Amino acid sequence: MSDSISDSGTLRVLIVGGGPAGSACALSLVRQASRMGRRVKVTLFEHKSFGTHYNQCVGVLSPPIVQIMRDYLGLSLPGELIQRTIKGYWLHTDRRSIYLTDSSTADPELSLVTRRVFLDGYLLAKVEKEGVDIFPARVTDMEFNSDRVNLYAENGSFEGDILVGAFGLDRQMCEALERKTGYRPPDFLETVVTKMHPGQELVNSFGDQIHAFLPRRKDIEFAALVPKGDHITAIAAGRRVTSSTLREFLASPVCLRVLKFPFQVKDVFKGNFPICPAKHFYGDRYITIGDSAGLVRPFKGKGINTAIISGYFAAKNILERGISRKALSQIENDFAEQIGDLWYGRTARLMADYLSRFSAFDPVLEVAENDQDLRQALFDSVSAHDTYHNIFKRLISSPSRILKLARAFGYHFLLGGFLRDAGREGK
Ligand SMILES: Cc1cc2nc3c(=O)[nH]c(=O)nc-3n(C[C@H](O)[C@H](O)[C@H](O)COP(=O)(O)OP(=O)(O)OC[C@H]3O[C@@H](n4cnc5c(N)ncnc54)[C@H](O)[C@@H]3O)c2cc1C
């Protein structure tokens, strides 16, 4: 395919979705084009009105979010967007718990808690200020031609040179792009989320800590309780989770040990997030970014970080290299570390699932009590502070730790834990 653009010489980019990925791409296109002396017309479609509608998220911003916003977008993270600073993480199995903090440096960068809808609104306002046309409409379909892309939206039809898919896992968009190109949406997990409002005093006494759970239930891969400004958010994720799954988890002994106050589950919100990269996530005249490309770390951490970075690199490649599949393939190099880590993350996910199902995480937590490096590795996994690749490398670098773990697993299995748990396996 040629890299032809409109006769006017202005590159016309159509972005579907104004979440972190779409906004980051729009901002980067306008700013980089201006630095390069290129003419670009960016049009962004976002059908949600942030404030009334929202994107499903717990709102934990993992380091180095401040640096990412600054380096990739030239933006600061306004203090008023931050509701809380997370000082540490509890990791719970059904029987054991361990408290994890970052001891890798004397002055660790902490995770921040935001109201996601404010972050999305903030980024989109910056996009608008840069002169991008934002249409508050849903895109319904698209067409690819040798010399242009056509988008059909609820407010009309639009022509451009390239489509940037930043629509998350929106089913209609995934199917439309799949029908027209080689794109295959990523596999995903379902999530159920609820908010508990036990009163400000109880929310504050909950502490600036996230509680992560690896329960021995087949249906839940992980769950978490996160303190926000005036409430606590609970999330459960798995292949198939429902509001009942969440209610049952919240009523379980391990959860009640943490939630020491009466609470009611009112509204439950459903969402999903990808667990592997999409196939053919770029091609002639299209590129997908963020969740649409499946560029999110398993256990959902750093989805926002990755979305912003992918938006930046998509813009860079479109401007510097062009809009053909070949030109856009550079994104695989720019994103090699993240893409490579998705497969390590997948392995970590499968291991965690298997270990928690047979209570075999208990020996890991037992060894971690007296092994600072293992505690750090668990912290890095739960908080998304380091790549899974680095975590695995560090873990296997110590033969004595492998021996300790093997011994602990041996005791666990010999003492019947494995068989007892396997017998009881299920809910
Ligand atoms: C329950 C849950 C909790 C999470 N918690 C965290 C967390 O704490 N921290 C974190 O970093 N990540 C978290 N994630 C992951 C994170 O939310 C995503 O990785 C991130 O939002 C991806 O950004 P995105 O811009 O690619 O997609 P999205 O944020 O999904 O944005 C896509 C946008 O496209 C718009 N759109 C879709 N279809 C159309 C259409 N046809 N026309 C017009 N607009 C359209 C949508 O309205 C939406 O605004 C969580 C995910 C889930 C499901």
Side-chain angles (χ1 to χ4, degrees), residues 103-124:
S103 53
S104 62
T105 82
D107 185 19
E109 206 179 328
L110 303 172
S111 292
L112 306 168
V113 175
T114 188
R115 246 193 99 188
R116 172 62 193 271
V117 74
F118 290 161
L119 179 72
D120 284 354
Y122 169 72
L123 290 174
L124 206 55

Side-chain angles (χ1 to χ4, degrees), residues 16-23 45-48 50 55-62 116 120 135 137-140 166-170 172-173 191-193 235 271-274 289-292 295-296 300-305 307:
V16 184
S23 287
F45 301 84
E46 173 52 67
H47 66 107
K48 286 180 187 164
F50 296 130
N55 287 320
Q56 278 300 321
C57 192
V58 174
V60 179
L61 301 175
S62 306
R116 172 62 193 271
D120 284 354
F135 286 101
R138 175 171 258 284
V139 174
T140 53
F167 42 74
L169 288 180
D170 182 83
Q172 187 181 12
M173 277 294 93
T191 56
V192 269
V193 170
I235 173 175
N272 40 48
F273 60 81
I289 52 179
D291 276 13
S292 306
L295 297 175
V296 60
K300 75 155 184 56
K302 290 202 172 169
I304 295 168
N305 299 18

Side-chain angles (χ1 to χ4, degrees), residues 85-90 99-102 110-111 207-211 227 379 382-383:
T85 301
I86 295 300
K87 309 225 165 70
Y89 289 74
W90 279 96
Y99 185 59
L100 304 165
T101 53
D102 187 2
L110 303 172
S111 292
D208 294 333
Q209 300 150 353
I210 291 178
H211 291 260
F379 172 83
V382 173
S383 65

Side-chain angles (χ1 to χ4, degrees), residues 1-248:
M1 187 207 105
S2 75
D3 265 354
S4 68
I5 62 169
S6 63
D7 294 340
S8 68
T10 300
L11 177 71
R12 300 162 305 165
V13 185
L14 303 169
I15 303 179
V16 184
S23 287
C25 187
L27 277 174
S28 306
L29 278 165
V30 174
R31 291 182 183 169
Q32 290 178 36
S34 142
R35 274 199 296 274
M36 294 163 75
R38 290 275 309 271
R39 284 204 309 263
V40 62
K41 177 171 167 38
V42 183
T43 309
L44 185 147
F45 301 84
E46 173 52 67
H47 66 107
K48 286 180 187 164
S49 162
F50 296 130
T52 312
H53 312 116
Y54 45 83
N55 287 320
Q56 278 300 321
C57 192
V58 174
V60 179
L61 301 175
S62 306
I65 185 70
V66 174
Q67 194 188 323
I68 288 173
M69 297 263 294
R70 188 191 59 217
D71 295 355
Y72 291 101
L73 304 184
L75 295 177
S76 59
L77 189 59
E80 60 268 25
L81 289 193
I82 306 306
Q83 297 182 314
R84 218 168 262 280
T85 301
I86 295 300
K87 309 225 165 70
Y89 289 74
W90 279 96
L91 179 61
H92 305 272
T93 65
D94 285 352
R95 294 190 206 144
R96 296 190 81 100
S97 301
I98 191 166
Y99 185 59
L100 304 165
T101 53
D102 187 2
S103 53
S104 62
T105 82
D107 185 19
E109 206 179 328
L110 303 172
S111 292
L112 306 168
V113 175
T114 188
R115 246 193 99 188
R116 172 62 193 271
V117 74
F118 290 161
L119 179 72
D120 284 354
Y122 169 72
L123 290 174
L124 206 55
K126 293 288 178 196
V127 172
E128 194 165 20
K129 214 168 154 201
E130 290 287 343
V132 171
D133 284 334
I134 301 179
F135 286 101
R138 175 171 258 284
V139 174
T140 53
D141 208 349
M142 65 201 65
E143 265 170 29
F144 290 92
N145 303 289
S146 59
D147 60 345
R148 67 187 189 282
V149 177
N150 287 92
L151 274 196
Y152 298 97
E154 285 163 340
N155 62 334
S157 60
F158 299 82
E159 200 177 285
D161 297 305
I162 179 165
L163 163 77
V164 176
F167 42 74
L169 288 180
D170 182 83
R171 201 166 293 170
Q172 187 181 12
M173 277 294 93
C174 286
E175 283 173 12
L177 190 58
E178 188 174 2
R179 276 201 311 275
K180 307 290 160 59
T181 67
Y183 172 76
R184 297 291 173 266
D187 193 9
F188 61 89
L189 286 189
E190 292 184 348
T191 56
V192 269
V193 170
T194 193
K195 295 176 182 179
M196 288 173 282
H197 289 89
Q200 195 63 56
E201 214 171 296
L202 282 168
V203 173
N204 290 344
S205 67
F206 187 83
D208 294 333
Q209 300 150 353
I210 291 178
H211 291 260
F213 299 83
L214 293 169
R216 198 163 53 84
R217 291 177 58 117
K218 253 192 195 161
D219 48 354
I220 298 182
E221 283 211 9
F222 76 89
L225 296 170
V226 181
K228 306 272 302 203
D230 63 352
H231 65 272
I232 292 167
T233 293
I235 173 175
R239 276 276 164 206
R240 204 161 296 154
V241 285
T242 63
S243 56
S244 306
T245 318
L246 185 62
R247 284 173 208 276
E248 283 166 27

Side-chain angles (χ1 to χ4, degrees), residues 150-416:
N150 287 92
L151 274 196
Y152 298 97
E154 285 163 340
N155 62 334
S157 60
F158 299 82
E159 200 177 285
D161 297 305
I162 179 165
L163 163 77
V164 176
F167 42 74
L169 288 180
D170 182 83
R171 201 166 293 170
Q172 187 181 12
M173 277 294 93
C174 286
E175 283 173 12
L177 190 58
E178 188 174 2
R179 276 201 311 275
K180 307 290 160 59
T181 67
Y183 172 76
R184 297 291 173 266
D187 193 9
F188 61 89
L189 286 189
E190 292 184 348
T191 56
V192 269
V193 170
T194 193
K195 295 176 182 179
M196 288 173 282
H197 289 89
Q200 195 63 56
E201 214 171 296
L202 282 168
V203 173
N204 290 344
S205 67
F206 187 83
D208 294 333
Q209 300 150 353
I210 291 178
H211 291 260
F213 299 83
L214 293 169
R216 198 163 53 84
R217 291 177 58 117
K218 253 192 195 161
D219 48 354
I220 298 182
E221 283 211 9
F222 76 89
L225 296 170
V226 181
K228 306 272 302 203
D230 63 352
H231 65 272
I232 292 167
T233 293
I235 173 175
R239 276 276 164 206
R240 204 161 296 154
V241 285
T242 63
S243 56
S244 306
T245 318
L246 185 62
R247 284 173 208 276
E248 283 166 27
F249 163 69
L250 289 171
S252 67
V254 63
C255 201
L256 292 178
R257 278 204 297 279
V258 177
L259 292 173
K260 295 189 191 94
F261 47 80
F263 60 87
Q264 276 187 315
V265 178
K266 288 189 183 150
D267 297 328
V268 175
F269 308 92
K270 197 81 194 278
N272 40 48
F273 60 81
I275 49 173
C276 70
K279 290 205 177 83
H280 307 291
F281 69 92
Y282 58 88
D284 289 332
R285 291 193 186 275
Y286 79 89
I287 183 163
T288 58
I289 52 179
D291 276 13
S292 306
L295 297 175
V296 60
R297 192 182 153 102
F299 302 122
K300 75 155 184 56
K302 290 202 172 169
I304 295 168
N305 299 18
T306 320
I308 292 174
I309 299 172
S310 64
Y312 169 87
F313 277 116
K316 188 170 187 300
N317 289 321
I318 290 169
L319 290 171
E320 288 181 0
R321 296 175 58 90
I323 54 178
S324 67
R325 195 194 74 78
K326 189 159 176 267
L328 296 169
S329 67
Q330 171 64 23
I331 190 102
E332 299 219 24
N333 298 331
D334 297 327
F335 241 68
E337 184 178 281
Q338 288 90 339
I339 292 173
D341 204 47
L342 293 170
W343 297 105
Y344 285 95
R346 206 171 195 197
T347 311
R349 214 189 101 234
L350 292 175
M351 272 171 63
D353 185 35
Y354 184 80
L355 290 175
S356 53
R357 218 179 269 185
F358 295 105
S359 297
F361 241 108
D362 294 345
V364 179
L365 299 201
E366 195 184 322
V367 173
E369 285 293 349
N370 298 309
D371 182 330
Q372 175 53 47
D373 290 343
L374 183 54
R375 277 206 304 281
Q376 183 66 39
L378 289 173
F379 172 83
D380 289 337
S381 310
V382 173
S383 65
H385 271 47
D386 201 358
T387 61
Y388 285 108
H389 176 235
N390 287 343
I391 296 168
F392 275 124
K393 220 165 67 186
R394 274 172 14 222
L395 278 180
I396 59 168
S397 68
S398 159
S400 72
R401 178 176 312 114
I402 292 172
L403 211 66
K404 269 193 269 177
L405 281 170
R407 206 177 306 135
F409 279 129
Y411 282 134
H412 180 74
F413 292 146
L414 278 175
L415 288 174

